[in-house]
Amino acid sequence: MTVQPPSPEQLSEVLRLCTVLSDRALDAKIMGREMPADQMTALAKAARLLQDHGVEWPPLLTQVLHEAADRADHQASETRAQAELPADIDAQGLTRFFAALWKEKSHK
């Protein structure tokens, strides 16, 4: 079974759908909601398809994917930082302590 490359019309439809999903992702962010994981996966797969066929991404898709990658990096670093703390240390208390300390030093 041979897979036919997508036609220009099909790639155009992928671009349109990427723009619609990217717009929904931006709306969700503005409203303080998470975009469903399956929609984010669809965007990533569509972006890969476009890249594989030399089609430039819409700017909104680029923005959404960069923000998602940044958020994933941030969550991963938080998870690593919490995993490295001994069980008897209150991470939130430590954060509040340092925040107050930095605030105090900045006022001096």
Side-chain angles (χ1 to χ4, degrees):
M1 180 168 113
T2 20
V3 177
Q4 297 293 325
S7 69
E9 293 80 20
Q10 290 170 322
L11 289 173
S12 178
E13 181 65 4
V14 170
L15 277 170
R16 186 187 73 76
L17 292 172
C18 281
T19 302
V20 170
L21 271 179
S22 297
D23 189 49
R24 285 186 185 176
L26 186 58
D27 285 345
K29 181 182 176 190
I30 290 169
M31 299 303 288
R33 297 185 319 256
E34 288 289 322
M35 183 174 182
D38 60 339
Q39 289 181 12
M40 192 55 83
T41 301
L43 270 180
K45 287 181 178 181
R48 179 60 176 214
L49 175 79
L50 294 171
Q51 182 179 4
D52 288 348
H53 290 88
V55 178
E56 188 175 335
W57 292 354
L60 194 54
L61 172 61
T62 304
Q63 177 184 348
V64 167
L65 291 179
H66 280 290
E67 288 176 3
D70 290 345
R71 190 170 45 251
D73 286 345
H74 180 73
Q75 289 172 344
S77 64
E78 278 185 355
T79 301
R80 273 194 309 274
Q82 289 181 355
E84 294 170 1
L85 290 175
D88 60 339
I89 295 207
D90 174 19
Q92 289 179 338
L94 208 57
T95 302
R96 286 191 302 270
F97 169 77
F98 282 116
L101 183 65
W102 290 323
K103 184 177 180 182
E104 182 181 307
K105 283 189 176 195
S106 69
H107 289 299
K108 288 184 179 183

